[in-house]
Every structure is written in C-alpha cells, then in structure tokens.
Amino acid sequence: MPAIRPLPETLVSQIAAGEVVDRPASVLKELLENSLDAGATDIGVALAEGGVKQIRVVDNGSGIAKDDLPMAFARHATSKIASLEDLEQVCSLGFRGEARASIASVARVVMASRAAGAAHAFALSAEAGSIGAMEPAAQPTGTAVEVNELYYNTPARRKFLKSSATEFAHCEAVFTRAALSRPDVTFTLRHNGRVAARFAPTDPAQRVEAALGPEFAQSMRSVEAKGVLKLSGFAGSPAYTRASRDAQFVYVNGRFVRDKLLSHALREAYRDVLHGERHPAYVLFLEIDPRGVDVNVHPAKIEIRFRDPRAVHQFVFHAVSKGLAGTAAETPAAVASPLAAGRSIRPRADQVALGLAQPVASYTAMFADRRAGADAAAAPDAAREDPSAPDAPPLGFALAQLHGVYILAQNQQGLILVDMHAAHERILYERLKGALDSRAMNTQKLLIPSTFHADRVDVATVEEHGATLNQLGFDVAAISPFALAVRAIPAMLAEADAAELARAVLRDIREYGASRVLTERRDELLGTMACHGAVRAHRSLTILEMNALLREMEETERSGQCNHGRPTWYQMSLADLDKLFLRGR
C-alpha cells in the first residue's frame, strides 16, 4: 500500500472546516455574509444553547433557484466570482465557495430557498458531506438556513466549545458587527426563544448608539475624509476609553477586518491624547478600490493585505487625527475629569505649594514638626533612626518624597532613591504569589459594590469561571446582561480601583482561558493585579508610610526589580555625591 494516498472527501471537508468553522460564531458570520451578499433587507437570527444546538438564519434576499440548490453544498462552488480577474477585485463578502460545504461536513444542515419571481420554494438537507433529496418547502422569497448539532460527528472538536453563555456572547459579537456594517438593514437576534436584540433601519449614528450604547454615542467624533480613499464613521473621544479593545470596529469595503496596519495607524492617531493603558473606541468604514486590497489572505476572510500599505496608513492616521482635533475645544474639566475616563482620584489636601521666598528657618521648623509627628506615631528608639548605627536597616530611613514619584532615604553608604510604585508593585506581586500558592487569598468585601458596563463575553466569563475568580480573591456577579458588580477583591489590593482591576483579570481569563491563567500565565496575571494595586505615582506619602515601604522592600525577595525588570531603587554613595559637587578637588 503506498505511503502517500488521497484523503477521503469527507475528511478533506472536515479539515477545511477547521479553518472556517471553529465555533458557532464562525458559522453565524458566514451565514450573515451570505444574506447580505444576497441583498437582504431583513435578517433574523435564532440560536439555541449558544448556537451549539441550533443556528437559524432567515433573510428576504434574492434566494437560490431550484437548479442551483444542489451546488450550494458543493466545495468551491460560488456565484460571486468566476475568474482570476474577479478574485483580484472582490466586491462581495463571500467568494471562496466553501463555507456551506464546510458547515455541512460538521453539522446537520437544512436549507430552504425561494428565488425572486419563483412560484415555489425548495429545501435541501446535508449531513456529513452527503446531500439529501430536494423537497418542496413553504418559504417566502429569500433563504432560511438551519444548522443543527454543530460538531455532532467530531466530538474532539465539540469538547473544546465553551458554555452556551460564552458561545452566545461570541455569536452576539458577530451579530453586532454585521448590524453596524449595514444600518439600512433590519437585524433581529433571538436566543432560546427570547429576543436578545433588534435593530430597525436607521442612519449610521443611531445604529452605533443602538449597538454600542449612549455613552459612546455622546462622546464620538465624526470622521469624514475623501480622496482616492474614503474614510467615514465615528471615533470615540479620548474621554471615552475602554480597558479592552472590545469596542473597536473597522470595516474595509463593508467587511469587518482585524488588520495590524490599520490598528497601528489608529493607535498613532490617539497616541498623544490617550492614557497608555486604555484603549480607544471607534466604528470606521474604509472604502478603497477593490484592486487595492487582497482579501484572500485567510479562509476566515478577516485578514487583509493592502497593495500600498504606507498610503493607507497615512490616510487613516491623518483622517482620524483631524477628527479627534475637535476635542481640543472641550473644557479642561471635561477632558481631565477622572470620572469621564473611568478612573478614581485621591484628595491631596495635605499638599501645599511652597514659595522660594520662604526663609530657611521656616523649612527647619516644617521638617522638625513633621519629624516630631512621625516620632510620636512610631516612637522608635533614637539610636535606630541613626542611619550610621551598626544595626541600621540596609535601605536606611526616609527623608522626603520627590515629585510624588520617588522616595529619598539615607543609609550608611549615602543616599537611596526609590521608585515607590515599582517597589510596591514587586512587594504585592510576591505576596500575591505566596497567597495563591498557599490558597490563602484573603478577600476584602466592598462596602458599596463597584459596578461597570461589560459585554456579554465578560458576563459569560464571570458566570463560567466564578470558581477561578474566587480563587484569585474576587467576588464578581452579573447584575444585568451588560453590567457586572465587584463585591470583593483581594485584601492586599484594597486600595485598587475595583472595577479596573476586575476588568484586567477578566480580560486575561477570556483571552487565555482559566486553566492557562492559573498555570503558564499565572505570573503575568499576578503582575497585572499587583500593578493595579500598587501605590500610584503622585500620591503623597507620610514619612511613616515611606519607612514602612522601605522595611517591606527589605523583607521581600527580588525587591531590587519590579515585575517588568526595571530597578526599584538606586544607591548613591557619599563618594558619588562628592564627585557631583567636586568635593576634595
């Protein structure tokens, strides 16, 4: 028997299906694209058990003629292209002619269709690559496709699917992308018999508000640029930011894409107006000559390649930058408001401006008073506050705080400079590791739960991975399909912004899965948590708090570097200082 032999057609189809159909959301994407290509103005989607049990898409498009129905399930059969020239200037969403065949190889599919002007409708079923007999059907003009029991014949693939709530969340994301792309089309989504979303025909701005909410709609800036290329849509104000990239929608010739070049252009447009850890929100539509973009890069058709990438990058960058320039007219309070950016702020009433005209005596009195207050609070032995004493601690004693970022301390050797955020981050990181390893993560209940807007994937993640969140010290619960409440967080991170901390943890769990987060991704996750919990820059610390931080550094392993490998403190000896001031020369 030869070692190299052709694979059975069924196996070939199932291998191809792995590239196109990786979960129910992938099936829904392909079916929605077919409906839109057919010119549908009303599309209804019904899901059962997150789409795993059933996906049904009904449209009022042009339909499929009786004689063409058998070819609808054939591999590499399509009505959308016929030549290489067509492939090089694709205008439709679908064109590869393999989606329905791939779906039919891993599910039980029934398709009923009635072509425009036809007197009757006909239905055809397909299962495991075999096509059934054609039968008459009751169907208005358009097409209805029903996909049942996804992966029923490939259980190894089915076991990798998530809970029905998670799979529905991914399906809803695909549905929302389609709805945003065509505001002139009616879209209805049902799950387990209930209407989950309905979008009536409207203008683009109102469709964006209906899909993404009034908060984004109130902040968005119109983007409009025309030339050889055209860019239109809406870019969120820098005051409206997200912890993740879940509100970033880019369409090229009507196709939702994820493209590194476009993502980079948009990051650059926001670079000078957005906090580095936050993500912008936008819904943008790029129109380009179809011959200037290659959409045949990957079977999922979500990746593209531009013929002239530099020109596209510069066009998008300048168009969005111009659209965002209107935010300069906002009042400073609107831009700088921590509430608008979803961040919390601490009062700093204890800080006062000091004028250079003050006499030296006033500084002496000020530091004497402050030292007396620290002494009264800590009541240390006088000898122990002497940095030159034999038993003085290695990092010495705090002197002051510089610009709310650095701690100045003196020890036997000279001056110590400490990056307080980086140092505290390492301390928390090591403590979190110890607590998680020993399963002793103490929690701190919040007096008032911290609530925040979330998408369905985050809500499903909370419901599916509650045990993992509890193990990490969190108590998070869904209070609506689009909102979560944080009721408790790890006790050692009690000073952190609870909502932002929870968002960061959920982002890792949804991206990598609970098992990876607690094993190979554990250190990265704990590092993120520590960063959120560490004392922030520009927070005023008392001498007592500074000394407490120095003592904790001395007791913490690897405290010389933060979690990102940067130094947390630096020693300047008296000899170094003498050189700076040319002493002894």
Side-chain angles (χ1 to χ4, degrees), residues 470-491:
N470 292 157
Q471 191 173 342
L472 291 168
F474 291 87
D475 180 5
V476 185
I479 55 176
S480 82
F482 298 102
L484 294 171
V486 186
R487 297 170 176 167
I489 60 176

Side-chain angles (χ1 to χ4, degrees), residues 279-584:
H279 299 281
Y282 42 75
V283 181
L284 297 169
F285 301 89
L286 178 66
E287 294 180 30
I288 182 174
D289 185 331
R291 291 169 294 186
V293 58
D294 182 4
V295 298
N296 190 30
V297 176
H298 188 273
K301 306 188 296 295
I302 206 168
E303 299 175 21
I304 57 173
R305 187 175 294 123
F306 293 104
R307 311 283 186 206
D308 189 352
R310 180 174 176 79
V312 173
H313 182 284
Q314 290 302 300
F315 178 79
V316 172
F317 166 72
H318 288 295
V320 176
S321 296
K322 183 178 179 182
L324 292 174
T327 62
E330 292 179 337
T331 62
V335 176
S337 168
L339 295 177
R343 295 189 294 273
S344 61
I345 186 170
R346 295 178 180 277
R348 296 172 60 194
D350 59 318
Q351 295 188 341
V352 295
L354 296 176
L356 292 179
Q358 293 186 8
V360 175
S362 67
Y363 286 100
T364 305
M366 179 186 71
F367 280 105
D369 291 342
R370 189 165 190 176
R371 185 58 171 269
D375 288 347
D381 199 18
R384 293 187 59 82
E385 292 225 2
D386 181 1
S388 62
D391 59 346
L395 296 181
F397 298 105
L399 296 172
Q401 190 178 18
L402 182 63
H403 287 292
V405 177
Y406 300 102
I407 293 173
L408 308 183
Q410 63 172 330
N411 64 355
Q412 284 184 319
Q413 288 73 41
L415 178 68
I416 295 282
L417 296 173
V418 177
D419 181 333
M420 66 182 195
H421 173 76
H424 195 211
E425 188 177 349
R426 168 58 76 175
I427 292 167
L428 289 176
Y429 174 62
E430 295 296 337
R431 289 170 61 189
L432 286 167
K433 283 201 299 184
L436 188 60
D437 290 344
S438 62
R439 295 184 175 274
M441 189 74 77
N442 294 326
T443 61
Q444 173 71 54
K445 287 191 177 296
L446 302 182
L447 186 61
I448 300 175
S450 179
T451 61
F452 62 94
H453 176 82
D455 60 26
R456 284 191 185 271
V457 177
D458 276 338
V459 173
T461 300
V462 168
E463 294 174 345
E464 185 176 354
H465 300 295
T468 299
L469 289 166
N470 292 157
Q471 191 173 342
L472 291 168
F474 291 87
D475 180 5
V476 185
I479 55 176
S480 82
F482 298 102
L484 294 171
V486 186
R487 297 170 176 167
I489 60 176
M492 64 184 78
L493 305 180
E495 297 298 314
D497 183 317
E500 289 302 308
L501 179 60
R503 278 194 181 103
V505 173
L506 287 172
R507 187 165 60 246
D508 269 22
I509 292 177
R510 67 187 277 183
E511 184 172 352
Y512 300 104
S515 60
R516 288 186 65 192
V517 158
L518 292 178
T519 53
E520 61 190 272
R521 293 281 310 175
R522 184 201 70 158
D523 290 350
E524 288 85 350
L525 174 66
L526 296 182
T528 298
M529 291 169 61
C531 186
H532 278 271
V535 60
R536 312 311 296 179
H538 309 300
R539 177 188 167 187
S540 177
L541 299 181
T542 66
I543 292 288
L544 191 62
E545 289 173 321
M546 289 185 246
N547 277 324
L549 182 61
L550 296 175
R551 302 294 78 81
E552 285 192 281
M553 290 174 63
E554 293 163 350
E555 297 171 2
T556 302
E557 292 183 353
R558 297 177 288 276
S559 65
Q561 287 79 35
C562 75
N563 313 336
H564 314 290
R566 296 189 294 268
T568 60
W569 63 277
Y570 183 75
Q571 172 81 64
M572 292 188 72
S573 69
L574 289 173
D576 294 330
L577 294 170
D578 287 345
K579 288 179 182 178
L580 284 176
F581 293 99
L582 305 178
R583 288 177 62 87

Side-chain angles (χ1 to χ4, degrees), residues 239-255:
Y240 179 85
T241 58
R242 312 276 290 186
S244 64
R245 298 180 179 87
D246 61 332
Q248 297 181 350
F249 300 86
V250 178
Y251 300 83
V252 175
N253 292 345
R255 181 191 310 280

